[in-house]
Structure formats: C-alpha cells, structure tokens
Amino acid sequence: IEVIYNGVSPRFRPDVPLEERARVARKYGLRSPYLLFLGGEKPHKNLQGVVRAFAEALRKAPLPHVLALAGPPPKSPARLEALIAALDLTERVLRPGLVEEDDLAGLLAGADVLLYPTLYEGFGLPVVEAMACGTPVLTSSTSALQEIAGGYAYLVDPMDLDAIARGIVALTTDEKVRS
C-alpha cells in the first residue's frame, strides 16, 4: 500500500509576489511581522493555548510580532477577548476573521510563522500549504501532523505552552531554525 497525501494548489508557492502579500495584509488589517494562527475556536484547534504561548514568548524575547487569528469568528467572543485583555495583548492580537480562498496564499506567504499546534487533526492541510509557500511552521508532534510535516516543521507537544513559546522565539529569531 502506498499512501498518497492531499496535494495543494499551485498558487501556494514560495514566490508569492510581495505585492500580493501586501494587498492581503491591507485587506485584513495586518501589520508585519505577524505570526498566523489559522483555524476556529473549536477546542481541538488550541486557540487559547496559542494566545497564552504567544504571551509567554513575548516575555522570553522582545519580539516585534503581532498574532493574527484568522478563521471563523467565535459565537461568543467574550471569553477569548477577556483572555487577550488579561494577558495585555489587546494591541498585539489581530482578528482578520474568515479569509477568502483567493487570499490564503498571500496570507500564508506573508506570515513569519504559521502556528498550528492543534490537539488533533485528520490531515492538516494548512501545514502543507504554508510549507509550500516557504513559511516556517510550528505544529503538533501528535496525530497526523508529525507525519504530514515530514521533518520540516518545528514540532511541539500542543499541551506544553512553554514548548510552544520556545518554538515561537526560535522560529522568529534563529535563521537556522527557520530554514
């Protein structure tokens, strides 16, 4: 048996033009440099863990990055907004909301890092799409993601917020780790 993984559209490539990246950033109100979380607020997406780890990463290093939380808006945003405020991240967390399919390559290519430390996934297409764009990926060492990343992503235990924070710092400050 040979497993053939999902492919990605040819629009996901490392040479997405800078103009396209800038257009998408303007459209969604992003400023560079940004870290990208792509997903909703379902518990397995680990959104609150990503926000907490981002706050910890900022305590570890003076990063200039903002965190862009792209995906469907939560039905009840109060809990997430309270967490963001409690961690003093109001000015550092951006909420672009749902991203149109045509904008996804520019969004991924423009990010410094894709943060995708989900608790479980059946496949994890955003990981492959980001990698196709040449964007470094931080993802889970669990479920299908470790296999999908194929040794080319920074793998973390998605329950270990300190490991996620260390990964954020490493991927944003160490060119060797990024490559």
Side-chain angles (χ1 to χ4, degrees), residues 8-69:
V8 296
S9 166
R11 75 172 171 259
F12 296 99
R13 58 188 198 279
D15 62 345
V16 172
L18 293 176
E19 300 80 33
E20 175 63 6
R21 297 174 195 207
R23 181 194 68 77
V24 170
R26 278 190 311 275
K27 179 176 179 177
Y28 293 99
L30 302 177
R31 60 186 188 269
S32 291
Y34 66 90
L35 307 175
L36 178 63
F37 170 86
L38 192 57
E41 242 193 288
K42 294 179 182 174
H44 76 280
K45 293 296 185 183
N46 201 17
L47 174 58
Q48 291 194 8
V50 168
V51 171
R52 290 177 192 280
F54 178 60
E56 181 60 27
L58 294 176
R59 283 191 281 279
K60 291 178 181 298
L63 304 177
H65 296 76
V66 295
L67 174 60
L69 305 177

Side-chain angles (χ1 to χ4, degrees), residues 37-124:
F37 170 86
L38 192 57
E41 242 193 288
K42 294 179 182 174
H44 76 280
K45 293 296 185 183
N46 201 17
L47 174 58
Q48 291 194 8
V50 168
V51 171
R52 290 177 192 280
F54 178 60
E56 181 60 27
L58 294 176
R59 283 191 281 279
K60 291 178 181 298
L63 304 177
H65 296 76
V66 295
L67 174 60
L69 305 177
K75 291 179 182 167
S76 302
R79 197 160 90 178
L80 179 61
E81 296 305 326
L83 175 63
I84 291 168
L87 294 171
D88 196 27
L89 295 175
T90 304
E91 299 299 316
R92 302 288 294 265
V93 175
L94 307 175
R95 304 292 304 265
L98 282 174
V99 176
E100 293 179 27
E101 190 70 28
D102 290 343
D103 297 333
L104 195 51
L107 184 71
L108 285 165
D112 264 19
V113 178
L114 173 69
L115 302 177
Y116 207 74
T118 64
L119 303 180
Y120 63 87
E121 289 293 328
F123 185 75

Side-chain angles (χ1 to χ4, degrees), residues 12-15 108-109 111-112 128-137 178:
F12 296 99
R13 58 188 198 279
D15 62 345
L108 285 165
D112 264 19
V128 180
E129 292 169 338
M131 290 169 60
C133 288
T135 300
V137 174
R178 288 178 58 77

